[in-house]
Amino acid sequence: MGGDRLENKTSVSVASWSSLNARMDNRFATAFVIACVLSLISTIYMAASIGTDFWYEYRSPVQENSSDLNKSIWDDFISDEADEKTYNDALFRYNGTVGLWRRCITIPKNTHWYSPPERTESFDVVTKCMGFTLTEQFMEKFVDPGNHNSGIDLLRTYLWRCQFLLPFVSLGLMCFGALIGLCACICRSLYPTIATGILHLLAGLCTLGSVSCYVAGIELLHQKLELPENVSGEFGWSFCLACVSAPLQFMASALFIWAAHTNRKEYTLMKAYRVA
């Protein structure tokens, strides 16, 4: 009789523990899925941010006439030998946009080099872009932009290099973390996802560092080259995507680490209970 009661209690305890374990598994799986969704969104945002040209935008009155001065500025802008001051002057004048890889300006579509066109209510414009070469990405910045004799500005030089390299490091860390997460799914274990969480944490720090370097670099540049009258600048939507990507990476990291750590703890408790 006593043995039957003990057996019944043991059966009830095992059933209760199995039910609790199932609820725990569902909770961990839900956290894992949410973390994966956040990771995917942040990866898309980061990739779009890297590949687009709207980290910073300038707003200036459209240059309607195509004078010799304008022609000279346009030619200098698309030249492979354009220095920092040359292409920034063009960006200031012609509604320029800047990305991590390219710089673009908006100019009249139909150019008239020897006589300006008649003023109309509206006229066609076209966007001309010029990519930054790897040499330009790692080129030194000078204390006085465009003046090679003014000495190297180490702070702006390394800020530029960091803002270019860190987004790629961030994207690479997230992709590597995704591979580890895929292996965790194949192995049917949440514990390896702690590495995925750590990689996402590092990726978030890299993204945050890239955004901070970009903001600091822009502020220092505008201290060296003041914006002309009637010209304003603002951070573009590509920059905003990078800003949004960072907190998404941190949230995904927290969920990955929590799910892996808590699941491991519950597994240890369950194992100890079964031994007892």
Side-chain angles (χ1 to χ4, degrees), residues 132-153:
F132 291 107
T133 63
L134 284 177
T135 302
E136 289 178 316
Q137 296 285 11
F138 292 97
M139 186 179 294
E140 294 85 359
K141 305 296 180 183
F142 297 99
V143 175
D144 183 11
N147 184 359
H148 294 240
N149 297 321
S150 60
I152 298 175
D153 190 332

Side-chain angles (χ1 to χ4, degrees), residues 176-227:
F176 187 53
L179 290 177
I180 295 178
L182 181 61
C183 293
C185 292
I186 295 175
C187 298
R188 297 183 179 181
S189 173
L190 282 176
Y191 191 65
T193 57
I194 193 169
T196 301
I198 294 173
L199 290 173
H200 276 70
L201 176 62
L202 295 176
L205 291 175
C206 288
T207 302
L208 190 61
S210 175
V211 168
S212 301
C213 288
Y214 194 85
V215 172
I218 285 291
E219 293 299 324
L220 290 174
L221 173 65
H222 290 166
Q223 290 178 11
K224 307 287 184 179
L225 298 175
E226 294 185 2
L227 294 178

Side-chain angles (χ1 to χ4, degrees), residues 20-116:
L20 177 61
N21 187 47
R23 289 197 298 271
M24 287 291 185
D25 288 341
N26 289 335
R27 190 174 63 177
F28 298 145
T30 301
F32 183 77
V33 170
I34 294 175
C36 289
V37 172
L38 293 175
S39 175
L40 178 61
I41 294 174
S42 65
T43 302
I44 293 173
Y45 281 3
M46 199 68 224
S49 176
I50 292 173
T52 49
D53 309 320
F54 297 91
W55 278 66
Y56 202 84
E57 304 177 24
Y58 294 99
R59 296 284 181 267
S60 58
V62 178
Q63 304 289 331
E64 297 187 22
N65 60 353
S66 302
S67 63
D68 291 337
L69 175 60
N70 289 339
K71 178 180 182 300
S72 175
I73 293 176
W74 298 340
D75 289 342
D76 290 339
F77 179 80
I78 63 176
S79 172
D80 293 333
E81 299 179 356
D83 57 34
E84 186 181 22
K85 185 177 187 306
T86 299
Y87 68 72
N88 273 294
D89 285 342
L91 291 172
F92 295 163
R93 287 173 175 267
Y94 301 103
N95 292 292
T97 60
V98 186
L100 297 180
W101 281 96
R102 296 198 306 173
R103 54 186 185 267
C104 302
I105 57 174
T106 302
I107 61 175
K109 184 176 182 179
N110 299 316
T111 56
H112 305 265
W113 303 122
Y114 302 105
S115 61

Side-chain angles (χ1 to χ4, degrees), residues 205-261:
L205 291 175
C206 288
T207 302
L208 190 61
S210 175
V211 168
S212 301
C213 288
Y214 194 85
V215 172
I218 285 291
E219 293 299 324
L220 290 174
L221 173 65
H222 290 166
Q223 290 178 11
K224 307 287 184 179
L225 298 175
E226 294 185 2
L227 294 178
E229 189 178 357
N230 297 327
V231 175
S232 61
E234 60 184 12
F235 293 100
W237 58 267
S238 298
F239 175 84
C240 294
L241 287 179
C243 292
V244 173
S245 179
L248 292 178
Q249 291 165 346
F250 288 133
M251 287 188 287
S253 171
L255 287 173
F256 279 130
I257 294 175
W258 174 83
H261 177 72

